[in-house]
């Protein structure tokens, strides 16, 4: 089983309009509402691919109950801690008449009490003993200490579970010290981590190796349509997905993580798992709004993914 931990999930609303008129009335042409958050997206795609998964974290209020009901309708097991606060709502505005990324409005999230945090850690212990892999990531809601990812990773390591960390800033840096098995920064995140611009594949490969030497077994740097470069103890690979018409990159990185974990759960070699990840990320990019890709779309793209060993 693959356990996902989302401490700051969101109800993701996508509003489709013609073009954004600031300080004026905008008519919404279409509306999509989906459960969101890095771990939740990973669980959703894992379920699409047929891998067993469970989603955990914090939920609260009507928005939280809606997220949990969406996951249950997809037959995804959940073990959330219900909090007094209300799960946040994030809004993305997509302009059909403008070639530009969506405009997003992300709430900070509800305040988490010390008692609610203690309850989550208490529940995670038995879940991690059942899990082969644990995917952790996303922003932290108010009240959660910056070292929480490090604490969760150490708990997973004690349970002999593989860990994946996908976060930013101080929580990520502290989590890195706990030795996660895998990280997957995108290109901009990797540049911030190493403190320099990464202009070509050689630069990305060097940066991934530098991050690996900080105590991470597998480092994958995703580069959108240009593919991904991965460094492992057995060598380095580059994957290039087939060309697709990208509607939204929301959830693509989470989909890549899910595809890789699915491949590993199926017993694939790492290059085979990376092909699953690249196909899943590209398929989600080609899916409008905040929805993640379906199994059939991923299966159609996977044979066209190119993976080559580069070191």
């Amino acid at each position: 089983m693959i356990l996902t931990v989302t401490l700051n999930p969101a109800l993701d609303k996508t509003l489709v309009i013609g073009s954004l008129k600031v300080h004026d009335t905008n008519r919404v042409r279409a509306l999509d509402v989906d459960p969101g958050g890095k771990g939740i997206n990973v669980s959703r795609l894992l379920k699409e691919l047929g891998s067993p998964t469970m989603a955990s974290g914090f939920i609260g209020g009507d928005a939280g109950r809606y997220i949990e009901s969406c996951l249950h309708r997809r037959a995804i097991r959940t073990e959330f801690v219900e909090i007094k606060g209300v799960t946040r709502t994030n809004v993305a505005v997509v302009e059909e008449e403008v070639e530009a990324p969506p405009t997003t409005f992300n709430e900070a999230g509800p305040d988490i009490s010390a008692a609610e945090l203690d309850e989550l850690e208490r529940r995670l212990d038995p879940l991690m003993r059942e899990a082969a892999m644990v995917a952790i990531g996303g922003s932290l809601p108010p009240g959660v200490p910056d070292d929480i990812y490090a604490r969760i990773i150490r708990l997973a390591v004690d349970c002999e579970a593989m860990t994946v960390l996908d976060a930013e800033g101080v929580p990520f840096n502290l989590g890195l010290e706990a030795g996660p098995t895998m990280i997957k920064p995108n290109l901009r995140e990797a540049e911030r981590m190493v403190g320099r611009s990464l202009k070509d594949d050689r630069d990305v490969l060097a940066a991934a190796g530098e991050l690996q030497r900080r105590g991470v077994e597998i480092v994958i740097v995703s580069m959108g349509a240009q593919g991904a470069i991965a460094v492992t103890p057995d060598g380095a690979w580059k994957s290039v997905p087939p060309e697709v018409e990208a509607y939204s990159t929301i959830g693509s990185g989470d989909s890549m993580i899910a595809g890789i974990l699915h491949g590993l759960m199926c017993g694939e070699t790492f290059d085979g798992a990376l092909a699953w990840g690249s196909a899943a990320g590209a398929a989600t990019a080609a899916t409008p709004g905040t929805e993640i890709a379906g199994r059939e779309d991923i299966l159609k793209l996977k044979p066209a993914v190119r993976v080559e060993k580069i070191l």
Side-chain angles (χ1 to χ4, degrees), residues 105-116:
F105 301 87
N106 291 353
E107 295 180 11
D111 288 310
I112 305 299
S113 69
E116 290 165 343

Side-chain angles (χ1 to χ4, degrees), residues 50-300:
S51 283
T53 184
M54 175 182 283
S56 64
F58 297 117
I59 58 166
D62 290 341
R65 284 186 285 274
Y66 179 82
I67 288 172
E68 189 165 37
S69 69
C70 287
L71 297 178
H72 288 171
R73 285 197 298 271
R74 292 172 167 85
I76 296 173
R77 297 166 60 199
T78 63
E79 186 61 51
F80 288 108
V81 172
E82 189 162 354
I83 59 173
K84 291 182 180 179
V86 177
T87 295
R88 62 184 178 148
T89 297
N90 292 340
V91 178
V93 179
V94 176
E95 301 171 80
E96 289 187 320
E97 299 166 6
V98 178
E99 291 188 10
T103 300
T104 59
F105 301 87
N106 291 353
E107 295 180 11
D111 288 310
I112 305 299
S113 69
E116 290 165 343
L117 186 62
D118 289 343
E119 176 63 14
L120 177 70
E121 292 187 271
R122 185 189 68 79
R123 292 197 196 183
L124 286 178
D125 183 71
L127 297 179
M128 288 185 176
R129 298 184 190 282
E130 180 186 349
M133 303 173 184
V134 182
I136 313 155
S139 64
L140 300 184
V144 175
D146 286 338
D147 70 343
I148 185 61
Y149 287 146
R151 286 154 56 177
I152 293 174
I153 289 168
R154 292 188 185 105
L155 181 60
V157 170
D158 289 343
C159 296
E160 299 182 348
M162 173 186 176
T163 54
V164 183
L165 177 62
D166 188 9
E168 292 189 76
V170 175
F172 173 81
N173 291 329
L174 293 175
L176 205 61
E177 293 176 6
T181 312
M182 185 173 89
I183 60 174
K184 191 220 64 64
N186 61 35
L187 184 61
R188 296 293 166 260
E189 291 166 342
E191 288 179 332
R192 288 195 291 270
M193 288 175 197
V194 299
R196 62 181 183 273
S197 176
L198 305 177
K199 298 179 180 178
D200 54 30
D201 286 358
R202 181 177 298 179
D203 287 348
V204 174
L205 180 61
E210 183 178 321
L211 292 170
Q212 187 189 44
R213 288 189 290 275
R214 296 186 191 178
V216 183
E217 185 176 324
I218 301 169
V219 177
I220 303 165
V221 179
S222 59
M223 304 178 293
Q226 283 68 51
I229 287 178
V231 175
T232 79
D234 299 320
W237 284 264
K238 180 176 182 180
S239 68
V240 180
E243 185 175 340
V244 298
E245 184 175 358
Y247 288 97
S248 172
T249 59
I250 296 173
S252 292
D254 307 327
S255 298
M256 171 172 271
I257 289 173
I260 291 169
L261 296 183
H262 169 74
L264 294 174
M265 281 288 285
C266 292
E268 295 264 13
T269 56
F270 183 79
D271 56 331
L274 186 58
W276 275 108
S278 293
T284 290
T287 304
T290 55
E291 187 55 86
I292 52 100
R295 176 180 173 83
E296 292 305 315
D297 293 327
I298 297 169
L299 291 176
K300 287 177 183 177

